[in-house]
Each structure stands twice: as C-alpha cells, then as structure tokens.
Amino acid sequence: TENVFSAVYQEQLSGYMAGYAAVKLGYKHLGYLGGMAVPAVQRFGYGFLQGVDAAAKEMNIVSDVVVEYIYGGAFAGDADITGVMDVWYGEKAVECVFACGGGIFTSAAEAAAKVDGKVIGVDTDQAPVIDGMFGVEGMTITSAMKGLAPTVKTLLTAIVLEDNWAAYAGKIESLGLVSADPEANYVQLPMESTLWCDTFTQDDYKALVASMFDGSLVVSGDISAMPTTEVVVNTYDNIK
C-alpha cells in the first residue's frame, strides 16, 4: 500500500561472511541451527554454507571441514533443542554453531558452555548477550548482522527531517551492500566483537566485503535448493 515501506535483507551476504570467517578463524566442524525454515533463516543458512565452502577451498582443507545442518522448528530454545545441541557439541565434537532464529541461540549457548564451545550470533551483535548469559567471554566468535537500526534511522530521517517519504512509500527494498566500507552496509559482521586473529584480520574482512561490493564475489540468494558444496554437509529432520 502507499503508506507502507517494506525492507527485506540479503541475509545470505552476512551468512556468507560468518561462514567464511569461522573457517578462516580455525574452526572445521561447524553447525547451523536455524529457527523455522522461513526465507530469511534459509538465506542465512545457505549463505553460511557458501562462505564455509569458499574458505575451505581457499585454505585447501575441504576434506577436513564438516557442517551439521538443522532447523529447530521454533524461534526459542528449549530442552529438546538443547539436547540436540548437547549431542552436537559433545558426541559429534562440533566446535561452533551458527544459531539463527530469535531466541533459539539460548539452546546452542547452553550446550556450548558445557564444553567450551563457540557460537555465532545473528541479526545484531549478540556477543554481549550470549557471552554474558553464561559469563564466558569469547563464546561468540562473530555475529551475522542485518541493519535493523540503520533502516529505521534512514526512514525516520527521510520522513521527519527530509520530508522525502515519497521516495519510500509503497516500495519493497532488498537491503544489502551500499559501500565497500563494511560498517556502512545493511549486512555485516561486528568490527568490535569479532574475534579477529592472524588468519582472519579486519583487513581480510574489508577485502572480502570489497569483493562482494564490486561484484567479483557473488553470493547466491536462491533458496529453492541447498547450495552445492565440496565440504560435507550433514542435514537432519527438523527438531520440532
């Protein structure tokens, strides 16, 4: 309608960034715990797989990298989901799980805390929340963020300060990269809390974003089927 603006996000891009970063940071046995299999959650997950695969290929460790992939069927953690995460972190020795779906991260974090495991946050910089929940600094290695706050600020500026609502009214926009500067974009990793190291520095991340922005690196947003990867991806039925 003419009095509504709809913003959707290119979650596959920050999902890719997170998967790429995880492998570059040294993690080889990864997990993806999605909430419900809705388009945004799928885009995060499929982007994550593409990023993991690309980093593994660059590092020539494809045969060493494995991803476990599941949807919880809910947007909140509970005992059943935590039980699956206990198996992943414990019996399967998963090192890091991308928990993507509202409050479902609580189950991943609860299981991770028992074995010094790691978590990747979603939507916002979740390090303060996840690390603070169990008092474990460094549990969250990064977060695949989308710019909810910048979107609201942009729209309020247009409406209140610029009297330019007409530029947005009745439109649907898919928000992603607008700059080679990572912090200017609607999808990004957090500069402050990501656990940068010698094998994946801020400069490496900036180069990755620049290649996405100039089009030399293309991440698929197609969710009609899981992306084809050279790394092994083990899929499971929904928990709920």
Side-chain angles (χ1 to χ4, degrees), residues 2-238:
E2 292 184 2
N3 64 343
V4 174
F5 170 76
S6 296
V8 294
Y9 296 86
Q10 296 171 34
E11 291 95 351
Q12 69 273 12
L13 300 183
S14 53
Y16 185 105
M17 295 172 191
Y20 185 91
V23 175
K24 288 289 186 173
L25 290 170
Y27 301 97
K28 297 177 181 177
H29 197 170
L30 299 159
Y32 179 77
L33 171 64
M36 294 182 181
V38 298
V41 174
Q42 290 177 297
R43 285 193 292 269
F44 270 127
Y46 292 2
F48 182 71
L49 294 179
Q50 292 174 70
V52 167
D53 195 55
K57 289 173 182 175
E58 285 184 17
M59 299 172 71
N60 294 315
I61 56 170
V62 166
S63 60
D64 298 328
V65 177
V66 177
V67 184
E68 315 292 344
Y69 194 103
I70 200 167
Y71 296 106
F75 286 118
D78 65 15
D80 293 334
I81 298 172
T82 300
V84 173
M85 292 297 100
D86 282 334
V87 171
W88 278 17
Y89 281 107
E91 296 176 20
K92 293 183 179 295
V94 170
E95 300 166 292
C96 181
V97 172
F98 180 16
C100 177
I104 205 167
F105 74 87
T106 59
S107 281
E110 183 179 347
K114 298 171 186 174
V115 294
D116 195 28
K118 303 295 183 181
V119 177
I120 295 171
V122 76
D123 290 340
T124 62
D125 180 1
Q126 287 194 305
V129 174
I130 295 174
D131 293 9
M133 182 173 292
F134 293 96
V136 181
E137 184 177 352
M139 178 186 287
T140 309
I141 68 167
T142 192
S143 295
M145 303 194 299
K146 58 186 180 185
L148 303 176
T151 304
V152 172
K153 291 177 182 176
T154 296
L155 267 294
L156 289 178
T157 298
I159 295 168
V160 178
L161 300 181
E162 299 173 351
D163 192 24
N164 194 28
W165 170 239
Y168 300 92
K171 295 183 178 179
I172 300 174
E173 289 191 18
S174 178
L175 302 176
L177 303 181
V178 296
S179 172
D181 174 7
E183 293 185 286
N185 293 317
Y186 286 104
V187 286
Q188 58 180 269
L189 302 181
M191 281 291 193
E192 292 300 320
S193 67
T194 296
L195 301 184
W196 312 106
C197 68
D198 290 345
T199 56
F200 191 61
T201 65
Q202 285 192 0
D203 285 342
D204 293 329
Y205 167 55
K206 290 175 181 177
L208 176 68
V209 173
S211 68
M212 288 179 167
F213 182 66
D214 69 21
S216 57
L217 169 59
V218 177
V219 181
S220 173
D222 180 15
I223 57 171
S224 62
M226 293 188 74
T228 300
T229 61
E230 291 185 24
V231 301
V232 171
V233 179
N234 298 317
T235 60
Y236 303 87
D237 291 338
N238 294 1

